[in-house]
Amino acid sequence: MIEVLVDWLLVASIFAPLALLDQCFSKSLRPQALALQWLAPAPALAAGLLGLGAGPVNLDFPALRLSLRLDQPGALLLTVAALLWMVVGAGVFRSEQPSSRVGVAWLLTMIGSLGVFVAADLISFYLVYALVSIPAYGLIAWEGLPNSKRAAGVYMAFAIAGEALLLLAFALLAAGEPQGSLRIVDVMAALPASPWRDLALALLIAGFGMKMGLAPLNGWMPLTYRAAPIPAAAVLSGAGVKAGVIGLIRFLPLGAALENWGLALAAIGFFSAFYGVAIGLTQKNPKTVLAYSSISQMGVIAAALGMALMAGDSGASSSVAFYAANHMLVKAALFLTIGAFAANRAAPLWRLPLAGALALSLAGLPFSGGALAKLASKTQFASGWAAALASASSVATALLMLHFLSRLRRATARAENATPAGLVRVWPALAVGALVIPWALYPAVGDLSDAFGLAKLWDGVWPLLIAAALAYVLYDLQDRLPRIHEGDSVVAYEKAFDKSLALGGAFEGIDARLRQWPAAGLSLVLIALVLAAATALGR
Amino acid sequence: MTPAVLAGLVGAAVVGLGLYGLIVDPQPLRKLLAFNLIGSGVFLVFGIVARRGAAAGFEFDPVPQAMVITGIVVAFAASALAVALILRLSETSGGVSLDPAVWTKPDDKGEKGDGQ
Amino acid sequence: MMGATTPGGFLLVLAILLPVGGVLLSFVLGGRFAERVALAVTPLGLALALAIAAGVAHSGQPLVYAVGGHPPPLGIALRADGISAVMLVAAALIFAASGFYARAKFSTPPGVAESRAPLTFWIMLQAIWAALTIVFVSGDLFNLYVALELLTFAAVPLVCIDGRPETLAAALRYLLFALFGSICYLLGAALFFGAYGTLDIALLAQRVHPLPAVWAAAALMTAGLLAKTALFPLHLWLPPAHANAPAAASAVLSGLVVKGSFFLLLRLWFYVLPGLPAPAVGAVLGTLGSAAILFGSVLALRQARLKLLIAYSTIAQIGYLFLIFPLASGAHSWSADGWSGGVMQILAHAFAKAAMFLAAGLLAESLGHDQIAKLTGAARKMPLTFLTLGLGGLSLMGLPPSGGFAAKWLMLRASVASGQWLWALVILAGGLLAAGYVYRILAPALGDGAVALKAPPQRGREAVALSLALVAVALGFAPNSFFDFIEIGRPIVMGTP
């Protein structure tokens, strides 16, 4: 009985927002459809909750060449993502009416974001992945702020480049599957033995890493989160980036113990984890600091997956998904925190401590959802050097979050921090929710009783103490930190891009010469001769 | 040297001369004449080929004859169309040149392209 | 017997006679009747094309008709197989769209019995349709030469229909270069006839051997057809011709006319010469195609005018078509994917490019110019037009869901499976560059800004352009039976001789 319900809800989770999209084509129905879209993720939320307890659900539609699958990592992320879209969407679409451009972009991104957790064949995954990446342009360029054009352009460049890498990777995956099936489970089963395994893995890590913001492909994230309005930044950093996470979870052959690839991925992950913190500490704008925190946290996730790949641990996907789900909630709530702080200067006393608890939960503050997330990833970071690096990254995250809190107090009511009034009002509830909801979800990945105990408590506290000490030192050194442009490596990419534009002039010169009649006529004769030779050689 | 081989060589030579004119000469009218020259060469080749037909046992294969006649008509129509274009071009703009640089505006503004 | 008429073969004759009859009737009646005849022919042509497709699907064999009851080698056979049928349907749809779109611009003005430009437009449109129909169904190489010439002669006046000197020069350049190409084709046909005594495609396929005459003939015909398809570096005539023609004409020129000569290349290499293994030819054509993709896309990025950008995009997308030669030849496991990808690319590009030219035409009429730099904020005033440009661009970029994506996916699979990595990289690079020039059009238009509209675009014409773009997107959902359909009639090589 439950299975049938889950099946229907799974299908509805995609088709409910699609039905709304259909309505957008008619001018009269459009405002109503866009206003209601905050309700559209409800079936997805229900499907995710039910799917947490049930085993993996597979739905195949051979006629449409579509497969859907709800397994535990997908269910975890789907639940939290749907919740996020509903809450932030309600805030945006009930209190103010953004233009239909933004509304349609929001709806398309939502469809992609929800679909990415349930798509189970290569083509539909590529489709929803494109939907979660490309229409987000409308969300970034929402306000039309001066730096939003550059941010949106950089974002699109990275998104399209990632799509190209993934397309080749998917073609390689499909080629390695002997029966010609395009279902992800079949393709992944064939991957370890495929002759193109290494190239495919490299492309997959690069493509999904671009989405997750792993260094050195992270430059777009700070620019984007700075330029996008708060609600857009909340959903993009929350649900949008996790498309990369589910991509890695789905497309890494975790069961096969690939030592070298696991090590490489873990190295990239840890590098990003510390790189994000290091650059983030030099930034002044709180949104940029949060962006670098995302980069760092995605690095931790990548490292966890790398360790799992090394060990051949396929059960890691659930714990990593839990970590990502917790990050989704906390990061979105943190962005809304910026909005709340910027919106009213007069603050109740408990506002800063609540924000502090929320921020430090990312570093594993005891009794917060983040502590549970840390607990869930313990198995991946069990061995010596990995455990040490993981602890160090906790300290680093805590440090960065303290820096964020110090910048938060100076958040002003600029256009880039504009938040719908509804969200500002309910912010306290959202913050508490972000701290508490992971507790409700943890039973799906582990035993709640593990979370209590003095040893665990101390595990959570000592990184914070060290971080507090470091923060005190850093605060004095504020002005002597180097000024790094937000988007760090993007500046280098932009310079290289500008240089390549000069090539275009060379192409134009060649074209001008080739379009002269004698050159073209001669080319025709030459082509005929070359083809004659080629045909003759064909023997 | 049989007549067939001689005719074939002449055909090839005519095609070559026409090709030279078509590629090198900048004047459209001369290009048109060169095209007709190549056409004549091709029809000459067709004529040679007529004697080798493996068709329904005629002594002179009628199929290439049909093809040559059709080809002459097509070349005639082509020449007529080209001459009409050349005349009209010289009427409206005085000069007849195929050089793309002559006809491109500084950055190819679309002012005259409105209403397209 | 090979050239015997099959049941339903008469449909092929009807399909040719319909537009030819339309041309003659339009010429005789003249004036306003030309437009009415052309628009009346449109649904009939579509019905015939669908009937032919149904006939081929039903029998699983090509429809054949021996003209005059004389089978080859004396007579000419008309042969409609899988790809003929889909091209006929696609052509009918695009002609219908262009016809209805052009009514606003090419109607005879009131108070005048007959006007030069409208009369020419409607007659030439039907003439192009007739020529394309012959190209798609004829089975004789000389018959195809005549059809090709008819196609050129009908297309050239459309380029210079408004009489401006630059369009006349573009038309003259097009005509002379196309004649250069077709005379090379004719010489090749003469050599084929000299070697084998027949020009029927099926008979030649049985008799072909590696001879110097065959090599020369194949090379000459291919080079001639490359000139007419405007493959890089023989693309000199295309940008000014397509960019300066009226929008409805550009749609047909870019969408269908260049595909006509490409169709002949497919007939030559996959139907006449499949028994002649020539992997080097695939490499040469693939290389030229890759150069076209890269050059065309880079040049499109640098254009100031929207219609020139779209014309250079055509040059780039034609390059994709030529990847079919290395990817679909032979009887390998990946050849079917390569063939499907190539045919899908023909169809997807035809619809997407036609839609984009029609939308660009609406834009130019409403704004008075087609300068890309001045498009800021235009999407707000003309949402449907930019939706059309966006959907067409989606197909050109190769993003799902669209026919362009299906084509790219199939070609990528074929190139990965065959180990020909170069084409895979070129396909991806082309996609990135296409994303660049589509972004160039759409990003400023979607931004904030105000443009002054001379007149809002008419809903009906916007709907026509949008429907073509939607077809391009719908092609992405083509079922597997579609790919089986386009294999009907294709000779599969059984190993190398």
Side-chain angles (χ1 to χ4, degrees):
Chain A
M1 188 55 213
I2 287 272
E3 285 88 31
V4 175
L5 189 58
V6 176
D7 286 352
W8 277 101
L9 284 173
L10 194 56
V11 172
S13 58
I14 308 277
F15 283 92
L18 271 179
L20 281 182
L21 185 65
D22 236 359
Q23 287 200 341
C24 288
F25 278 108
S26 132
K27 218 173 183 180
S28 49
L29 292 175
R30 194 182 306 153
Q32 190 189 20
L34 291 179
L36 278 179
Q37 64 173 296
W38 64 275
L39 277 173
L45 180 60
L49 283 171
L50 285 176
L52 275 177
V57 174
N58 289 307
L59 278 179
D60 286 317
F61 301 98
L64 293 176
R65 287 184 296 206
L66 173 71
S67 296
L68 296 176
R69 178 180 163 85
L70 191 63
D71 55 3
Q72 194 152 77
L76 270 170
L77 290 167
L78 184 66
T79 311
V80 176
L83 189 60
L84 190 62
W85 280 105
M86 284 182 76
V87 169
V88 182
V92 168
F93 289 98
R94 281 174 56 126
S95 57
E96 60 186 56
Q97 289 296 325
S99 71
S100 56
R101 241 182 339 171
V102 173
V104 172
W106 187 277
L107 186 56
L108 286 172
T109 314
M110 183 206 299
I111 296 176
S113 167
L114 296 175
V116 114
F117 301 124
V118 300
D121 70 283
L122 288 178
I123 306 279
S124 41
F125 187 92
Y126 193 79
L127 170 57
V128 286
Y129 194 83
L131 273 180
V132 80
S133 308
I134 295 185
Y137 177 84
L139 296 178
I140 300 167
W142 183 339
E143 297 284 332
L145 296 167
N147 52 355
S148 68
K149 254 202 190 153
R150 175 179 170 228
V154 170
Y155 173 81
M156 285 302 281
F158 274 90
I160 302 274
E163 297 275 334
L165 291 175
L166 286 178
L167 185 60
L168 186 55
F170 284 8
L172 289 171
L173 287 175
E177 214 283 333
Q179 265 85 40
S181 159
L182 290 179
R183 295 176 62 214
I184 297 183
V185 288
D186 297 333
V187 156
M188 290 312 297
L191 179 62
S194 154
W196 299 289
R197 184 196 69 187
D198 291 328
L199 185 57
L201 278 175
L203 289 168
L204 286 167
I205 292 178
F208 289 122
M210 254 188 216
K211 185 82 184 154
M212 285 166 62
L214 296 178
L217 301 169
N218 61 306
W220 61 271
M221 224 186 240
L223 288 175
T224 302
Y225 294 169
R226 169 89 189 267
I230 296 275
V235 290
L236 284 178
S237 69
V241 167
K242 303 307 177 293
V245 174
I246 192 75
L248 277 185
I249 291 179
R250 288 266 151 81
F251 288 98
L252 283 178
L254 290 174
L258 297 170
E259 288 246 0
N260 292 332
W261 280 108
L263 193 55
L265 184 57
I268 297 175
F270 279 121
F271 175 69
S272 301
F274 294 112
Y275 181 82
V277 171
I279 310 278
L281 286 171
T282 68
Q283 299 300 316
K284 302 255 188 278
N285 186 300
K287 288 169 96 180
T288 319
V289 176
L290 280 185
Y292 279 103
S293 154
S294 277
I295 293 170
S296 167
Q297 290 296 302
M298 292 300 113
V300 173
I301 290 181
L305 283 171
M307 300 303 299
L309 190 59
M310 265 174 75
D313 174 16
S314 55
S317 46
S318 294
S319 12
V320 170
F322 183 82
Y323 195 100
N326 173 64
H327 179 260
M328 244 199 273
L329 286 169
V330 174
K331 193 45 67 71
L334 282 173
F335 270 107
L336 294 174
T337 308
I338 301 179
F341 271 64
N344 39 33
R345 308 303 304 157
L349 269 179
W350 45 263
R351 192 170 74 162
L352 191 56
L354 181 55
L358 192 58
L360 291 173
S361 79
L362 274 185
L365 182 73
F367 301 120
S368 69
L372 288 177
K374 239 179 116 172
L375 186 60
S377 62
K378 262 284 187 276
T379 29
Q380 276 74 54
F381 298 129
S383 82
W385 58 270
L389 282 173
S391 310
S393 99
S394 290
V395 175
T397 305
L399 183 57
L400 187 62
M401 287 292 107
L402 289 172
H403 176 65
F404 166 72
L405 287 170
S406 76
R407 300 308 308 178
L408 185 61
R409 301 167 64 185
R410 283 168 243 182
T412 52
R414 287 183 282 186
E416 65 183 29
N417 295 334
T419 315
L423 287 173
V424 172
R425 258 195 322 252
V426 302
W427 169 75
L430 298 177
V432 170
L435 289 170
V436 162
I437 291 178
W439 287 86
L441 295 173
Y442 191 76
V445 290
D447 204 350
L448 262 182
S449 58
D450 290 340
F452 301 100
L454 270 180
K456 292 285 181 301
L457 208 59
W458 177 240
D459 262 344
V461 166
W462 71 259
L464 301 178
L465 293 176
I466 300 186
L470 283 175
Y472 190 67
V473 170
L474 214 59
Y475 196 74
D476 286 337
L477 291 175
Q478 258 316 318
D479 303 320
R480 291 203 263 152
L481 285 174
R483 287 197 168 276
I484 300 186
H485 186 271
E486 66 187 11
D488 50 284
S489 45
V490 156
V491 181
Y493 290 129
E494 282 177 329
K495 284 209 185 99
F497 182 73
D498 288 334
K499 284 216 180 74
S500 68
L501 286 181
L503 270 180
F507 275 68
E508 249 181 3
I510 299 179
D511 178 61
R513 272 192 220 108
L514 282 173
R515 289 183 54 212
Q516 297 293 330
W517 186 282
L522 205 55
S523 309
L524 200 155
V525 174
L526 280 175
I527 289 177
L529 290 172
V530 168
L531 282 171
T535 328
L537 283 174
R539 266 184 312 166
Chain B
M1 166 136 352
T2 67
V5 174
L6 180 63
L9 285 175
V10 168
V14 166
V15 169
L17 286 172
L19 206 58
Y20 175 79
L22 189 51
I23 295 179
V24 169
D25 201 315
Q27 297 256 11
L29 200 53
R30 298 247 175 105
K31 289 199 208 285
L32 185 61
L33 291 176
F35 160 74
N36 279 298
L37 206 55
I38 302 180
S40 307
V42 173
F43 299 142
L44 207 50
V45 170
F46 253 120
I48 309 309
V49 148
R51 307 202 68 208
R52 302 195 56 206
F58 295 104
E59 197 186 320
F60 289 101
D61 194 339
V63 176
Q65 296 178 24
M67 290 199 267
V68 168
I69 293 175
T70 314
I72 292 175
V73 170
V74 168
F76 167 69
S79 307
L81 183 56
V83 166
L85 279 175
I86 293 173
L87 281 178
R88 187 87 187 114
L89 184 58
S90 86
E91 270 174 31
T92 53
S93 77
V96 184
S97 161
L98 290 183
D99 186 0
V102 172
W103 300 106
T104 312
K105 312 282 191 282
D107 48 5
D108 216 320
K109 289 195 191 311
E111 289 127 12
K112 296 216 179 145
D114 54 358
Q116 293 286 8
Chain C
M1 213 194 120
M2 187 66 80
T5 305
T6 61
F10 69 95
L11 285 173
L12 304 179
V13 178
L14 279 182
I16 298 176
L17 285 181
L18 179 68
V20 169
V23 169
L24 293 173
L25 207 57
S26 303
F27 187 67
V28 164
L29 294 177
R32 288 164 210 293
F33 296 101
E35 176 186 339
R36 289 180 201 160
V37 166
L39 290 175
V41 157
T42 307
L44 295 173
L46 181 58
L48 274 174
L50 288 170
I52 293 175
V56 174
H58 182 71
S59 67
Q61 293 288 325
L63 295 179
V64 183
Y65 184 86
V67 177
H70 299 297
L74 182 60
I76 290 178
L78 300 176
R79 208 170 276 118
D81 53 9
I83 49 171
S84 310
V86 296
M87 290 304 296
L88 283 172
V89 174
L93 288 171
I94 295 181
F95 276 113
S98 298
F100 283 100
Y101 176 94
R103 285 181 67 196
K105 192 156 186 293
F106 286 106
S107 318
T108 313
V112 170
E114 184 174 283
S115 178
R116 176 192 63 86
L119 183 65
T120 313
F121 181 83
W122 297 110
I123 291 181
M124 292 305 151
L125 195 67
Q126 294 176 86
I128 296 181
W129 195 344
L132 275 176
T133 310
I134 304 177
V135 164
F136 294 143
V137 304
S138 176
D140 177 275
L141 288 180
F142 187 78
N143 196 214
L144 288 170
Y145 166 74
V146 175
L148 214 52
E149 293 292 71
L150 181 58
L151 191 57
T152 305
F153 296 164
V156 163
L158 282 186
V159 170
C160 62
I161 201 165
D162 62 352
R164 285 179 296 145
E166 53 266 22
T167 59
L168 286 169
L172 186 59
R173 198 180 306 123
Y174 179 16
L175 179 61
L176 287 174
F177 205 72
L179 289 176
F180 191 177
S182 50
I183 205 68
C184 290
Y185 178 96
L186 187 60
L187 187 53
L191 290 174
F192 263 126
F193 190 82
Y196 296 114
T198 175
L199 284 179
D200 181 70
I201 290 180
L203 285 178
L204 268 181
Q206 287 174 338
R207 299 181 187 181
V208 137
H209 285 97
L211 293 178
V214 171
W215 305 332
L220 280 168
M221 289 177 81
T222 306
L225 289 169
L226 290 183
K228 301 191 88 128
T229 317
L231 179 64
F232 181 90
L234 306 174
H235 62 287
L236 79 166
W237 58 266
L238 196 147
H242 287 199
N244 292 321
S250 302
V252 168
L253 287 171
S254 252
L256 294 173
V257 171
V258 296
K259 307 301 187 324
S261 41
F262 180 75
F263 191 86
L264 282 191
L265 277 166
L266 290 182
R267 283 273 190 243
L268 177 64
W269 286 101
F270 288 98
Y271 290 78
V272 175
L273 299 174
L276 196 75
V281 172
V284 170
L285 290 174
T287 312
L288 289 176
S290 310
I293 295 174
L294 294 173
F295 257 84
S297 305
V298 171
L299 285 164
L301 278 169
R302 295 182 66 90
Q303 294 304 314
R305 279 182 57 200
L306 180 60
K307 288 180 94 177
L308 270 178
L309 186 153
I310 300 179
Y312 273 102
S313 159
T314 300
I315 295 178
Q317 296 284 318
I318 286 172
Y320 278 107
L321 295 177
F322 282 86
L323 294 178
I324 203 180
F325 291 99
L327 291 177
S329 9
H332 310 281
S333 54
W334 62 78
S335 303
D337 273 347
W339 179 258
S340 306
V343 175
M344 177 57 81
Q345 170 70 12
I346 298 177
L347 294 171
H349 178 250
F351 283 104
K353 196 43 67 72
M356 287 184 83
F357 264 120
L358 293 184
L362 283 172
L363 214 142
E365 280 180 31
S366 297
L367 293 176
H369 67 82
D370 67 339
Q371 295 287 315
I372 298 177
K374 298 188 199 156
L375 286 181
T376 320
R380 204 171 289 172
K381 296 278 182 71
M382 294 186 286
L384 279 186
T385 310
F386 278 93
L387 179 62
T388 309
L389 284 173
L391 288 177
L394 194 73
S395 184
L396 293 182
M397 285 193 275
L399 285 175
S402 65
F405 171 74
K408 267 176 92 168
W409 172 253
L410 288 164
M411 287 202 273
L412 268 177
R413 288 187 66 166
S415 67
V416 162
S418 63
Q420 301 177 56
W421 291 100
L422 183 59
W423 315 132
L425 293 175
V426 166
I427 292 173
L428 291 179
L432 287 173
L433 291 169
Y437 60 71
V438 172
Y439 182 80
R440 237 192 111 208
I441 307 173
L442 291 180
L446 287 171
D448 295 321
V451 287
L453 285 188
K454 280 162 86 170
Q458 290 167 296
R459 269 301 132 101
R461 300 172 87 196
E462 281 188 317
V464 162
L466 185 59
S467 61
L468 284 181
L470 288 173
V471 173
V473 169
L475 279 172
F477 296 103
N480 284 333
S481 48
F482 176 79
F483 298 112
D484 295 329
F485 181 74
I486 57 180
E487 289 275 348
I488 293 178
R490 177 159 97 100
I492 308 292
V493 179
M494 292 302 154
T496 57

